[in-house]
Structure formats: C-alpha cells, structure tokens
Amino acid sequence: MAAQTEESDTARDQTKAEQDVDQVRQRATRDQQRLDSGAVTSPKDLENLQREIASLAKRQGDLEDVVLEVMERRESAQERVAELTERVTSVQSKIDDATARRDAAVEQIDGEVATVTKEREVVAASIPADLLKLYDKLRGQQGGVGAAKLYARSCQGCRQELAITELAEIRKAAPDTVVRCENCRRILVRTSESGL
Ligand SMILES: [Zn+2]
C-alpha cells in the first residue's frame, strides 16, 4: 500500500510538473508571437520581451529536468509496486494452500471424532454403570487416561513397575475383579503380556 501511495503521489507530481512546463511554454509562445508580430516597437519593450523569452527558455529547461526526475522516481515506484504485488500473490497462494490443507484436516478429524464417539457409545453401553463412573472419574483426574494396560509388570499409565506383593494380589484376583494401580490409581487392564 505504501508503494502504491508513493506511485500515485509521484504520478500526481508528474502531472503537476508537466503542467508547469506547459504554462511556461505557452507564455514563451505568446511572447514570441508578440515579438514576431512587429506590434512592439519601443526598443526598451523589445529588449524586455527578449529578456523574458530567454528567461522563460531557461525556466522551461529547469522544469523539464524536474519532470525527468519525477518520472524516474515514478518508474522505480512502479517497479516496487510490481515486485511487491508479485510477492503478495505468492504469499496469498501459500495462504490459500495452507487453508485448504487445514480445512481438509479438520474435516478428516471431525469424521474420526464422529466415528470414535459412536464406537465409545457402543462400548460404554456394555460396561456396568459403577465401573463406568469410576473410569470417568479417574479419566478426569489423570489427564484423560482412566485405564491403563498392565504390561510386563508395569502400569502403562504411570510407567511404574508394580511391587511384588501387589502383583501377587492381582494374580490371585478373579478375572472380572477391577484392579487398580497402587501408584496412579488407574484401572489396570490385564492381558497375556502383563507378566503375571
Ligand atoms: Zn499407574
């Protein structure tokens, strides 16, 4: 935007400078016509007129230099605008690309959430209410993980190895008994890899 403002500012400066040149040129033309017409006869007036024509010619030259200088500034402003416009286009296309990828990822995640939520509902419906209540309570307390696998004598929730006495108790417990980790209190899920 700054570059575009500079471009339009220099365009205005150029128009103004060109108008200045035109004014001086018109005045010089008028003076020259008066001189050529022969209407001015007094030597003093003739001298004044010629002096003015010379002075206007110098002024016109100076103003034309101003026009050239402004045109150069305008040209570099135009180049800057073109360069920045190209960069804006390139950055915008990166934004568009990233937005499209984000939208696709959100859509996929939403789909997964819907599937997993449905699966959880089915599983939750098959679990006794008091156990589900305990699980949800632990889940709230333990960063979203209410139950953990007992793997090679370790709780996979807190990564602590269970004490020998504790393992012995778990070994004795009936398969449908809810066993908990001594350390983090999570529900322990026994498998063939539990190391019991
Ligand atoms: Zn634990």
Side-chain angles (χ1 to χ4, degrees):
M1 270 185 72
Q4 276 167 347
T5 303
E6 195 182 339
E7 202 282 317
S8 59
D9 283 353
T10 49
R12 207 186 46 219
D13 290 349
Q14 187 183 336
T15 306
K16 171 83 176 59
E18 284 167 350
Q19 282 168 349
D20 291 347
V21 169
D22 268 353
Q23 271 182 2
V24 171
R25 192 188 291 128
Q26 279 167 19
R27 201 167 146 195
T29 306
R30 269 199 314 271
D31 283 354
Q32 190 64 49
Q33 280 166 351
R34 272 185 72 204
L35 190 69
D36 294 344
S37 71
V40 182
T41 48
S42 139
K44 190 166 166 42
D45 288 348
L46 279 171
E47 198 193 320
N48 282 343
L49 200 51
Q50 278 165 335
R51 197 178 299 133
E52 187 173 282
I53 289 169
S55 145
L56 287 171
K58 162 132 195 358
R59 177 103 183 100
Q60 185 178 333
D62 290 347
L63 290 171
E64 280 168 350
D65 287 346
V66 172
V67 170
L68 285 176
E69 186 262 328
V70 170
M71 279 170 78
E72 268 168 31
R73 275 199 288 130
R74 188 182 177 187
E75 211 166 283
S76 69
Q78 282 169 331
E79 277 167 18
R80 185 101 181 103
V81 168
E83 182 203 320
L84 290 172
T85 303
E86 203 181 301
R87 274 170 63 190
V88 166
T89 307
S90 147
V91 170
Q92 188 58 51
S93 92
K94 278 183 194 157
I95 291 171
D96 292 347
D97 187 50
T99 304
R101 280 189 286 122
R102 182 203 62 191
D103 290 349
V106 166
E107 200 177 313
Q108 195 190 342
I109 290 164
D110 284 349
E112 282 170 22
V113 166
T115 306
V116 170
T117 303
K118 217 170 277 173
E119 282 171 7
R120 187 189 190 278
E121 275 168 19
V122 172
V123 173
S126 71
I127 290 175
D130 54 346
L131 180 55
L132 190 62
K133 205 176 152 194
L134 172 66
Y135 167 78
D136 281 333
K137 193 182 96 183
L138 288 167
R139 195 168 156 239
Q141 290 168 349
Q142 300 287 354
V145 183
K149 205 191 264 186
L150 177 61
Y151 178 80
R153 295 187 294 278
S154 289
C155 164
Q156 295 296 288
C158 63
R159 307 271 159 183
Q160 295 283 313
E161 189 166 338
L162 271 62
I164 306 240
T165 49
E166 212 188 328
L167 285 166
E169 290 211 1
I170 292 171
R171 209 171 285 130
K172 277 187 286 176
D176 61 349
T177 301
V178 175
V179 292
R180 313 261 301 269
C181 171
E182 272 276 299
N183 182 49
C184 69
R185 305 303 297 149
R186 286 186 177 96
I187 297 164
L188 285 173
V189 179
R190 287 168 282 175
T191 72
S192 59
E193 294 174 323
S194 291
L196 293 169

